[in-house]
Amino acid sequence: MEKKEKKKLTPRLFVSRLTGFLFAVYAAYNIFIIVRDADRGMPSEGILISAVVALMFVALAVFMWTPGVNPKNTRFLMVRRATFIVAMLVLFALRLRLIGRYVTFIDFSEMYTVLYCVPYFATLAAFFLLLIFFIFIIKRLPFYPKARVVLPVITIILFVIALVAEALLYFLYNTGMEASVLRTVVIRPIFYLGFISLSAYFLFDPETN
């Protein structure tokens, strides 16, 4: 029996696997937070949110590790598509619930507050655009030749803006979004690079997204 030929590592497949790896690392980080802080007085709500976030990033990782599925495998494709939509909807909803806090905090006369809030609003907008793209555009690419390029490019720009704003916040005001320096300079870039890579993945001509 002939050995099964290995799948060629195309740029699209490389980006897909890289994205899946970054999402898996971020999921592992949230699990680490639960394990480390559960016995240190971490509120039940915080544990629940970290657990949900970890689960959603595991789902996104699995989505990114299963590209190019046989179009005849409709059941798996439906589950895969639903997995991505549910994961992104949950992450969007978790961020949206904090909007009041950021709206009241931002003061455009204070650059510190702007840099603090820009990542939140940029990420929220990017999540929304990714959902719009995946739900309404990706299955009808021939009908939206401009949107198939413009929307992922916009989300890339938004995530880059968020990353730059956090970097400026950290280096100019010594304020990080995580509790430690290591987590700020490692985990936050992993979060943004994962979604930048995801957006770039959608720019490739799909085999079966």
Side-chain angles (χ1 to χ4, degrees), residues 4-78:
K4 188 176 180 180
E5 186 179 353
K6 290 184 178 180
K7 195 170 185 178
K8 184 179 179 182
L9 186 62
T10 61
R12 179 177 180 271
L13 185 58
F14 172 78
V15 170
S16 176
R17 289 179 176 175
L18 173 63
T19 309
F21 171 76
L22 293 171
F23 285 155
V25 170
Y26 196 76
Y29 161 71
N30 278 275
I31 294 172
F32 163 76
I33 292 297
I34 296 172
V35 173
R36 195 202 66 170
D37 295 343
D39 295 329
R40 298 185 182 182
M42 186 179 185
S44 299
E45 181 183 2
I47 294 175
L48 177 61
I49 291 174
S50 292
V52 171
V53 170
L55 181 60
M56 294 306 102
F57 273 89
V58 167
L60 289 176
V62 171
F63 174 85
M64 295 308 301
W65 283 332
T66 55
V69 179
N70 189 328
K72 294 182 180 179
N73 195 347
T74 55
R75 181 174 298 179
F76 181 82
L77 287 174
M78 288 177 62

Side-chain angles (χ1 to χ4, degrees), residues 58-198:
V58 167
L60 289 176
V62 171
F63 174 85
M64 295 308 301
W65 283 332
T66 55
V69 179
N70 189 328
K72 294 182 180 179
N73 195 347
T74 55
R75 181 174 298 179
F76 181 82
L77 287 174
M78 288 177 62
V79 172
R80 182 174 181 268
R81 178 178 172 81
T83 296
F84 180 86
I85 293 172
V86 169
M88 289 302 303
L89 278 173
V90 171
L91 293 175
F92 177 77
L94 287 174
R95 293 191 77 81
L96 186 62
R97 84 189 204 284
L98 303 173
I99 193 168
R101 179 189 304 176
Y102 284 90
V103 168
T104 56
F105 181 76
I106 193 168
D107 180 355
F108 290 101
S109 65
E110 296 288 341
M111 182 56 66
Y112 167 81
T113 68
V114 174
L115 290 176
Y116 189 88
C117 294
V118 160
Y120 170 80
F121 288 108
T123 303
L124 189 67
F127 281 1
F128 179 75
L129 290 178
L130 282 174
L131 278 167
I132 294 298
F133 178 82
F134 194 79
I135 295 173
F136 299 107
I137 305 298
I138 205 166
K139 290 297 183 181
R140 306 173 183 85
L141 291 181
F143 300 102
Y144 303 99
K146 292 183 179 179
R148 66 163 296 181
V149 175
V150 171
L151 287 183
V153 168
I154 291 176
T155 61
I156 290 174
I157 292 172
L158 288 170
F159 286 123
V160 170
I161 289 173
L163 178 58
V164 170
E166 283 203 23
L168 291 174
L169 183 67
Y170 178 73
F171 289 111
L172 295 180
Y173 296 95
N174 197 30
T175 299
M177 294 295 187
E178 299 292 339
S180 71
V181 173
L182 180 62
R183 281 152 56 178
T184 295
V185 301
V186 175
I187 295 301
R188 298 306 296 175
I190 285 175
F191 172 85
Y192 289 117
L193 289 174
F195 283 106
I196 290 170
S197 185
L198 171 66

